[in-house]
Amino acid sequence: MTGTPPRKRSQGRAAAIGLTKAQVLKAAIDLVDELGAEAFSIRELSRRLDVYPTAIYWHLGGSKADLFSEMTATITSDLMRPGEFCADWRDTLRELFRRYRRAAQRHPHLANLIGAQVSANGPRHAGLAEIVLAALRQAGYDGQPLADAMSALVGGIFGFVTMELAPQAPGARPDWAESFSAALDDLPEAEFPETRRAMPLLRNRAFVLRWSSGAEVPLDSAFEMLVDSLIAGLELRRAGAMAAWEAAGAAPGRRG
Amino acid sequence: MTGTPPRKRSQGRAAAIGLTKAQVLKAAIDLVDELGAEAFSIRELSRRLDVYPTAIYWHLGGSKADLFSEMTATITSDLMRPGEFCADWRDTLRELFRRYRRAAQRHPHLANLIGAQVSANGPRHAGLAEIVLAALRQAGYDGQPLADAMSALVGGIFGFVTMELAPQAPGARPDWAESFSAALDDLPEAEFPETRRAMPLLRNRAFVLRWSSGAEVPLDSAFEMLVDSLIAGLELRRAGAMAAWEAAGAAPGRRG
DNA sequence: ACCTGAACACCGTTCAAGT
DNA sequence: ACCTGAACACCGTTCAAGT
């Protein structure tokens, strides 16, 4: 069964189909959007493109992991042009992260990988880092506090989106959602008073207590609260963080 | 080759090894710690336990995905006993999230799954949600803003840890780290002035600009800044958020 | 250069059968 | 109840060969 040709094509013809790397990448993204990252396979991709699996490898020049990292890079490319900053650094950050989330929502299965794999997280996204750093410098951050604030923002907000768009485990039992819902109703009042009290607003609409992915039930207002609170907190704590760092010796390359 | 017995055991003996579900779970966690979630397989697990793969299934009563969700549940179990709150809600949250991160660091490959899969994210962790909700109520949050603040905290901070502990793609090229490092040096000064300026403090020590996983290079100070800023921001924005929600009709079950 | 064709060493999962 | 044994339908990846 291994060598069965993808479909009937002009019988035993061979070569020169005219596949390009861009076509492979596009088809791969479509397939992940459709099946999810877990169910995606090179072999299924090759079937859709009507070629042998090895043809994919020729165009890719790498492994499946490399393909994933190229796919995720398309999400953050061109989020914001360099000149496109807002006058206020807070508005710049808010706009940037909102755009990121919207881009992620278009490819939920891919976006989830950005948080889940370091390689999907590299210097291809440097343009985004530059904007965050520029905004934070405008806010008065520098040195180690600048580096920390940058990672706090990217990690917190990209991490939120990663979790929000986490897929249901593809191999889970079909009755999983129902048993999840039932488990919420069975939480004992004595042990979980606050959870039960807020349940109408939390049920399937908050982390830990939801069974649907954010692709189906988006957590819009929680995202807004995260972005606003984090920016407000960073603004508030700037002076203290900078003072502590300068007092500790402030040399670049040294740890605060 | 399919039916080759795991190892030589008392020849063709059969049955009554005395495997328990707890043993299977422990061995599975050890294996994920060693190989990572991607390389983990039921078959390899069965080899280590010196049984046929099907023996695993008998004890599990579910699929590989269900096994993963049971494994991740062990991370957040018993993070904080119910009575163990601090006097100040800010201290409660700080302590809770620090403990979570320390627990996650003990099983980096598993912790990463918590953010990456909804099923690893369910009512087994409800104890954690209860503590967060109680602390936020103490801070004066209620209704929809309470639900949003809870998801903002959990999503932001668990998301950060998920990203921090993201593994290097297991199938990536071996020269990947070097080419990553070189790519950072090649960022053009004109386009990336802020990134280049802060590079000594950012190189392999900040999201987007690192190639090592947080299991090897932890982002301690960035995590602290995230937690402190987010708590400070939630405190600051409480009054406004509550007022807006009450003005909008404040009925539970209705959206702000 | 671009692709076929076959092969290797794996998977997860099911189902029947043994003790 | 607890496990063996065999089988099914897949994978990713490599390597040689065709045109």
Side-chain angles (χ1 to χ4, degrees):
Chain A
M1 287 301 181
T2 315
T4 309
R7 275 192 205 174
K8 273 182 221 165
R9 198 171 36 218
S10 36
Q11 287 292 353
R13 258 317 198 76
I17 291 180
L19 202 59
T20 67
K21 178 158 185 176
Q23 277 173 43
V24 172
L25 201 60
K26 201 210 168 296
I29 291 173
D30 289 346
L31 192 54
V32 172
D33 284 345
E34 186 184 331
L35 301 181
E38 199 98 348
F40 171 91
S41 78
I42 299 271
R43 291 186 109 110
E44 179 60 27
L45 176 61
S46 79
R47 266 171 239 129
R48 307 250 170 147
L49 288 168
D50 201 20
V51 296
Y52 277 75
T54 41
I56 309 284
Y57 281 92
W58 194 90
H59 285 281
L60 245 49
S63 68
K64 191 185 166 187
D66 297 314
L67 174 58
F68 272 133
S69 113
E70 282 200 76
M71 285 194 266
T72 54
T74 65
I75 289 186
T76 51
S77 70
D78 302 321
L79 268 189
M80 223 162 175
R81 264 149 293 285
E84 217 182 335
F85 298 85
C86 305
D88 190 317
W89 64 273
R90 301 178 211 85
D91 294 333
T92 303
L93 290 177
R94 252 189 294 265
E95 182 63 23
L96 175 67
F97 289 125
R98 282 200 190 124
R99 287 194 196 182
Y100 170 71
R101 184 160 172 268
R102 273 198 295 270
Q105 284 170 328
R106 274 178 233 124
H107 303 283
H109 297 297
L110 276 179
N112 182 251
L113 291 181
I114 292 186
Q117 289 191 10
V118 174
S119 61
N121 196 341
R124 282 205 186 84
H125 311 215
L128 197 142
E130 177 70 19
I131 294 174
V132 175
L133 289 169
L136 286 170
R137 280 254 288 160
Q138 216 174 324
Y141 271 97
D142 204 354
Q144 187 62 44
L146 172 65
D148 290 339
M150 188 270 223
S151 278
L153 271 169
V154 173
I157 291 171
F158 281 38
F160 180 101
V161 174
T162 296
M163 282 192 68
E164 188 190 7
L165 298 178
Q168 286 105 329
R173 301 193 200 82
D175 64 331
W176 178 69
E178 292 150 45
S179 66
F180 195 125
S181 180
L184 290 185
D185 293 328
D186 290 348
L187 291 176
E189 171 72 33
E191 207 179 336
F192 301 95
E194 298 296 341
T195 310
R196 296 215 58 130
R197 188 175 173 281
M199 188 59 82
L201 288 163
L202 295 174
R203 166 176 227 98
N204 205 22
R205 293 174 146 223
F207 287 125
V208 182
L209 305 170
R210 74 193 174 130
W211 55 86
S212 296
S213 161
E216 293 156 31
V217 183
L219 306 178
D220 291 338
S221 51
F223 177 78
E224 293 297 325
M225 181 165 282
L226 172 64
V227 173
D228 288 345
S229 299
L230 197 42
I231 290 174
L234 286 171
E235 183 176 7
L236 191 70
R237 305 198 79 256
R238 196 214 81 232
M242 287 302 293
W245 178 68
E246 274 155 10
R254 229 187 286 174
R255 285 218 103 177
Chain B
M1 285 300 179
T2 316
T4 310
R7 274 191 205 175
K8 273 180 223 165
R9 199 172 36 218
S10 36
Q11 288 291 354
R13 256 321 197 73
I17 292 180
L19 202 60
T20 67
K21 178 159 185 176
Q23 279 173 42
V24 172
L25 200 61
K26 202 211 166 297
I29 291 173
D30 290 345
L31 193 54
V32 172
D33 284 346
E34 186 184 330
L35 301 181
E38 200 97 350
F40 171 91
S41 79
I42 299 272
R43 291 185 109 110
E44 179 60 27
L45 176 61
S46 79
R47 266 170 240 132
R48 307 250 170 147
L49 287 169
D50 201 20
V51 295
Y52 278 74
T54 41
I56 307 285
Y57 281 93
W58 193 90
H59 285 281
L60 246 49
S63 68
K64 190 184 168 190
D66 296 315
L67 174 56
F68 272 132
S69 115
E70 282 201 77
M71 287 195 265
T72 54
T74 66
I75 289 187
T76 51
S77 70
D78 300 321
L79 268 190
M80 224 162 176
R81 264 150 293 287
E84 216 182 338
F85 298 84
C86 305
D88 191 318
W89 64 273
R90 302 177 210 87
D91 295 331
T92 303
L93 291 177
R94 253 190 295 266
E95 183 62 23
L96 175 67
F97 290 125
R98 281 197 191 126
R99 287 192 196 183
Y100 169 71
R101 184 160 172 267
R102 274 197 296 269
Q105 283 170 329
R106 274 177 233 126
H107 303 283
H109 297 298
L110 276 179
N112 181 252
L113 291 181
I114 293 185
Q117 288 191 11
V118 173
S119 60
N121 198 337
R124 283 204 185 85
H125 311 215
L128 197 141
E130 178 69 19
I131 295 174
V132 174
L133 289 170
L136 286 170
R137 279 254 289 161
Q138 217 174 322
Y141 270 96
D142 205 353
Q144 187 62 43
L146 173 65
D148 291 338
M150 188 270 223
S151 278
L153 271 170
V154 173
I157 291 171
F158 281 38
F160 180 101
V161 174
T162 296
M163 281 192 69
E164 187 190 8
L165 298 178
Q168 287 105 329
R173 302 194 200 81
D175 64 330
W176 179 68
E178 293 151 42
S179 67
F180 194 124
S181 179
L184 290 185
D185 293 328
D186 290 348
L187 292 176
E189 171 71 33
E191 207 179 336
F192 301 96
E194 297 296 339
T195 310
R196 295 213 60 128
R197 188 175 173 281
M199 189 60 82
L201 287 163
L202 295 174
R203 167 176 227 98
N204 204 24
R205 294 172 143 224
F207 287 124
V208 182
L209 305 170
R210 75 193 175 129
W211 55 87
S212 297
S213 161
E216 294 157 31
V217 183
L219 305 179
D220 291 338
S221 52
F223 177 77
E224 292 297 325
M225 181 164 281
L226 171 64
V227 173
D228 288 344
S229 299
L230 196 43
I231 290 174
L234 285 172
E235 186 176 4
L236 191 71
R237 306 198 76 258
R238 196 214 81 231
M242 287 302 294
W245 176 69
E246 273 154 11
R254 230 187 288 172
R255 286 218 98 175

